[in-house]
Amino acid sequence: MQELSGAKHWFHEKRFGMFVHWGIYAVGGIHEQHQMRLHVPAAEYQKFAEQFNPVKFNPAEWLDLAQETGMEYLVFTAKHHDGFCMWNTKETDYNIMHTPYGKDVVGMLAEECHKRNFPLELYYSCVDWHHPAYPNIGRHHEIITDPRFYDMDAYMAFLKRQIRELCTNYGTIHGIWWDMNVPGWRDPSVAEMINSLQPAAVINNRGYGPGDFSTPERDFQAESPYPFAKPTEACDSVGQHSWGYRREEDYFSVRKLERQISLYTALGGNFLLNAGPDATGCFTEKARLIFARIGKWHQKVAQALIAKPCYGLLKLPGIVCTGEGRELNLILLDPPQGESLRLRGLEWMPEKAILLNSGAELSVMRGPETAPSAITLRHLPADRMNDEIQVIRLEFGDDVIHSADQTVYEDKSGSAVQG
């Protein structure tokens, strides 16, 4: 994979991030697309701003949660599709300063991130249901507004002024995370401005140019054993139905989320895991429990997940590999079918096999009798550890692990829809 260079290279060093969808839609407790999905009139929806007072919001607690989970950067929704701005923008009164809370949330987050040297990216929706100049004509992730005011040039001028604010008022920003360029508008000057003002800022592929990285999401499942051809950041949310806070949310299993984290990072990509805080500024107890379980697992297996993608050595269904030199990591995306695992295609006998989840050493042997030359691992915890993704580290006496070919996985998902 061709990596980003210079100040943007941080993106390849910090591979697991926290995604947070938060805005006045948390007051409704239904969905971050409340206004569109329920056809709520703008005047009624905007009353949420009059009620938004997240007195329990504590950016330090958010980052504590992220770091305890093993996350190393944050992507935050500065402006979602509803057009409400979570920072002190001079371009519209539809912002956090005109709520009972009256504090600059982006500024507070940026300050805490800077204290910890914790990269902050800002999500910005290209679709805007509030700005009259944006052509909301009912396409996907659009509502319908008054066509008399449509003016894409005027809207782009507004957008550029807002992006300049975000790139100049909050110190170092590590990314602009676009979403929903529904009209397919192209304007290279936007990326040029961002790169000029914030050299370390990565830009995704959902905005006004090709961007620095691609953004598959949700049910995108790359089962290919080959790593990504270009910088890639997959994402999913703990909630099955929403990205923002949903009062009656159903949640994914921890194992399902661990599988995605494992797969995409082992293929050389990044992964964002999202949760939506409620209207007080707190994550739900269920979301926190999910993050806590993932954090305990991730602490034990993280180095194996982000090691160099290693392909062409083993062709075992449900297993991806990383490693180099004297180490090979087997990441079991599916539970082992039994207490032994035959390593078909492996030419070298490992000196040791360690189950990173528990630290237990597994037996390494030749056999069984039906395949006396095969290498087999024994004493896997079949039925005893199937609630988490298991990772096995093989250690060899010599440097035997290297890339077998240069085949890569080309992400064909494009700008998949985001919440």
Side-chain angles (χ1 to χ4, degrees):
M1 178 177 69
Q2 184 176 357
E3 296 188 351
L4 302 175
S5 60
K8 297 188 179 191
H9 193 266
W10 71 268
F11 188 73
H12 303 293
E13 299 167 355
K14 301 181 184 296
R15 305 276 300 283
F16 183 28
M18 183 186 216
F19 208 174
V20 177
H21 280 62
W22 195 41
I24 59 172
Y25 40 82
V27 175
I30 293 177
H31 199 287
E32 75 280 356
Q33 295 176 17
H34 185 135
Q35 187 176 355
M36 182 189 76
R37 293 178 183 269
L38 299 185
H39 309 291
V40 176
E44 181 178 340
Y45 178 81
Q46 290 166 22
K47 291 178 181 178
F48 287 155
E50 301 169 8
Q51 306 168 54
F52 192 55
N53 189 20
V55 293
K56 295 183 181 180
F57 170 55
N58 186 332
E61 291 182 358
W62 283 22
L63 291 194
D64 285 346
L65 178 62
Q67 292 181 310
E68 289 164 4
T69 310
M71 297 160 168
E72 297 183 283
Y73 66 105
L74 171 66
V75 180
F76 176 71
T77 51
K79 187 192 83 164
H80 206 261
H81 309 334
D82 61 356
F84 185 84
C85 301
M86 298 292 283
W87 79 98
N88 185 14
T89 176
K90 292 180 169 49
E91 297 301 321
T92 174
D93 289 341
Y94 198 44
N95 70 63
I96 190 66
M97 307 307 291
H98 292 79
T99 67
Y101 189 61
K103 300 177 185 178
D104 189 332
V105 167
V106 169
M108 296 168 70
L109 275 173
E111 181 179 2
E112 187 63 32
C113 286
H114 295 326
K115 287 180 183 178
R116 306 188 190 207
N117 195 27
F118 199 86
L120 172 65
E121 296 183 44
L122 297 175
Y123 169 113
Y124 189 100
S125 173
C126 303
V127 165
D128 191 316
W129 301 335
H130 181 264
H131 198 289
Y134 180 85
N136 279 293
I137 58 176
R139 293 165 291 198
H140 69 88
H141 290 82
E142 289 181 346
I143 59 175
I144 297 177
T145 53
D146 193 334
R148 292 176 299 170
F149 302 105
Y150 294 168
D151 186 338
M152 195 63 185
D153 288 330
Y155 177 70
M156 289 301 297
F158 161 82
L159 177 148
K160 291 176 187 179
R161 292 192 299 270
Q162 287 209 309
I163 294 299
R164 181 173 290 277
E165 285 182 339
L166 293 173
C167 288
T168 56
N169 294 349
Y170 299 102
T172 300
I173 297 298
H174 281 81
I176 295 295
W177 212 100
W178 300 111
D179 201 14
M180 289 300 153
N181 180 7
V182 176
W185 194 271
R186 290 292 176 259
D187 186 343
S189 71
V190 181
E192 291 170 3
M193 176 180 66
I194 296 169
N195 289 328
S196 173
L197 296 172
Q198 294 285 351
V202 293
I203 305 169
N204 73 349
N205 66 338
R206 301 188 185 191
Y208 301 99
D212 298 314
F213 63 96
S214 62
T215 51
E217 71 173 70
R218 281 294 200 191
D219 295 326
F220 172 80
Q221 295 289 339
E223 298 294 349
S224 167
Y226 304 118
F228 293 106
K230 58 186 178 181
T232 299
E233 178 190 72
C235 60
D236 207 339
S237 182
V238 297
Q240 288 185 248
H241 308 294
S242 305
W243 295 79
Y245 170 68
R246 183 170 179 265
R247 190 175 293 108
E248 299 297 329
E249 186 62 277
D250 300 309
Y251 291 84
F252 284 119
S253 71
V254 170
R255 180 183 171 82
K256 187 263 189 187
L257 297 171
E258 287 180 358
R259 188 184 194 279
Q260 287 184 290
I261 295 166
S262 299
L263 175 61
Y264 300 128
T265 51
L267 294 179
N270 289 29
F271 192 85
L272 288 178
L273 182 59
N274 175 84
D278 64 21
T280 72
C282 297
F283 294 98
T284 67
E285 181 180 0
K286 188 64 176 289
R288 295 180 68 90
L289 288 172
I290 290 172
F291 275 46
R293 286 184 57 190
I294 289 174
K296 290 179 180 178
W297 163 81
H298 191 263
Q299 184 178 20
K300 294 178 287 188
V301 303
Q303 292 307 308
L305 300 184
I306 65 173
K308 185 176 181 180
C310 190
Y311 46 99
L313 294 177
L314 296 176
K315 292 180 171 43
L316 297 173
I319 296 178
V320 290
C321 301
T322 67
E324 192 171 17
R326 299 188 179 195
E327 292 185 349
L328 177 65
N329 304 299
L330 310 181
I331 300 162
L332 281 59
L333 301 177
D334 302 319
Q337 296 183 359
E339 294 182 334
S340 68
L341 177 64
R342 191 182 305 178
L343 305 181
R344 294 182 177 86
L346 187 64
E347 300 176 14
W348 310 281
M349 188 70 173
E351 291 187 346
K352 186 182 292 187
I354 301 171
L355 181 65
L356 297 184
N357 305 64
S358 64
E361 187 168 345
L362 306 177
S363 297
V364 184
M365 60 167 284
R366 291 283 183 185
E369 296 84 356
T370 53
S373 64
I375 298 173
T376 300
L377 305 180
R378 298 188 64 215
H379 304 140
L380 273 70
D383 296 327
R384 299 198 307 276
M385 200 177 288
N386 291 345
D387 60 340
E388 62 183 59
I389 298 296
Q390 298 179 36
V391 180
I392 301 169
R393 173 165 291 161
L394 305 182
E395 299 180 359
F396 300 87
D398 297 307
D399 291 344
V400 295
I401 305 302
H402 55 85
S403 297
D405 58 50
Q406 295 300 314
T407 307
V408 293
Y409 178 83
E410 182 68 36
D411 169 28
K412 301 296 185 182
S413 65
S415 299
V417 295
Q418 169 67 28

